[in-house]
Amino acid sequence: MPSASALASKDMVVLPGATFAMGSEEFYAEEGPVRQATVGPLAIDRHPVTVQEFRRFVTETGHVTEAERAPDPALYPDADPELLVPGSLVFQRTAGPISLRDAHAWWRYVPGAYWQAPEGPGSTVRGRHRHPVTHIAHGDAQAYAAWAGKELPTEAEWEYAARGGLDGERFAWGEEIAPHGKMMANWWQGRFPWENLRLDGYEGTSPVGAFPPNGFGLFDVCGNVWEWTADRFTTAATSSCCTPPAPEAIPRNTIKGGSHLCAPSYCLRFRPAARQGEAIDTSTSHIGFRCVVRGKHDG
């Protein structure tokens, strides 16, 4: 097992493990009940995996992401055949106020969208090498983790690390959404999904480390991009706000932390307790991941 100093040099934070109060009963049904959870010692990435880091993985392994492969027609029997081509879900602002009942209004399946062309053909990640990589399906995240000698965190590990020692607080930085008017994370300010005031300085994703770290020294645990975990999402009570529903035949894993598309008036999910289920074959412009190494790490 790598030493603590070696892990720290690779942009990881070593945590001793603990028992903490997991979940929340204040916001959405799928987050409760609050319960005691125990996690063991681990090291966790300081920030979500970046475009630059994922590019190295692809260069060394030749990995082809889920978004670069055509969907299986058997899993999408009602889909438009023209959409059964390589691509990914891309957020698109609406022209004005609309009903918030149907996420299809602001999500589009864009042929040709993938991690290097996050808005679709013609777009690039130039200038975004320090942004979280997006358009990553669960299997892509697992493949990267295996290559790096790591794993995806369990939901409990992720939430423990994201809380940064603040048991029971709403956000990773405390109770206030913007203490003293300071933006602490990348989330949507304005009327979703058409008016983004960008009070935090960003329209989409932001470079990792653009906002203050939590109490454990982790960046971007709230907002910026949702993050995959290793755990299946089996909760019946859920009020998904982030992507159109997927076929029931496709397993869902838990994603955590919210994203730059979370608006308090619609999706107040840039919090450690927030959780949703995402189909494992789905990739979007607002989901990324970070990794862990489990076990005792002595320097």
Side-chain angles (χ1 to χ4, degrees), residues 226-249:
W226 284 94
E227 298 182 22
W228 286 110
T229 72
D231 291 348
R232 283 282 190 258
F233 187 86
T234 57
T235 309
T238 184
S239 50
S240 177
C241 67
C242 282
T243 53
E248 293 184 3

Side-chain angles (χ1 to χ4, degrees), residues 22 53 61 95 98 102 113 118 157-158 164 171 196 222 235 260 263:
M22 182 174 178
E53 290 165 338
T61 66
I98 59 168
D102 185 5
E157 288 170 338
W158 191 100
F171 303 102
N196 189 344
C222 293
T235 309
H260 63 278

Side-chain angles (χ1 to χ4, degrees), residues 6 9 11 36 39 65 89 91 156 164 171 186 205 255 260 298:
S9 71
D11 284 332
Q36 294 294 298
V39 299
T65 61
L89 287 167
F91 172 79
F171 303 102
N186 182 357
T205 59
I255 55 175
H260 63 278
D298 297 316

Side-chain angles (χ1 to χ4, degrees), residues 168-260:
E169 300 283 349
R170 287 181 177 177
F171 303 102
W173 52 86
E175 285 291 301
E176 298 296 322
I177 193 169
H180 307 292
K182 183 178 181 179
M183 291 296 169
M184 302 293 289
N186 182 357
W187 49 275
W188 184 289
Q189 300 93 45
R191 290 167 288 186
F192 185 86
W194 63 280
E195 177 193 55
N196 189 344
L197 300 177
R198 291 176 289 183
L199 301 179
D200 57 14
Y202 298 96
E203 175 77 17
T205 59
S206 50
V208 297
F211 296 90
N214 74 356
F216 289 158
L218 303 180
F219 294 95
D220 297 286
V221 289
C222 293
N224 212 359
V225 292
W226 284 94
E227 298 182 22
W228 286 110
T229 72
D231 291 348
R232 283 282 190 258
F233 187 86
T234 57
T235 309
T238 184
S239 50
S240 177
C241 67
C242 282
T243 53
E248 293 184 3
I250 301 174
R252 294 185 299 164
N253 268 50
T254 302
I255 55 175
K256 297 282 286 180
S259 80
H260 63 278

Side-chain angles (χ1 to χ4, degrees), residues 2 42-43 62 72 85 90 94 100 117 123 125 139 179 190 229-230 235:
L42 72 152
D72 183 353
V85 296
V90 177
T94 61
L100 299 179
S123 66
V125 289
T229 72
T235 309

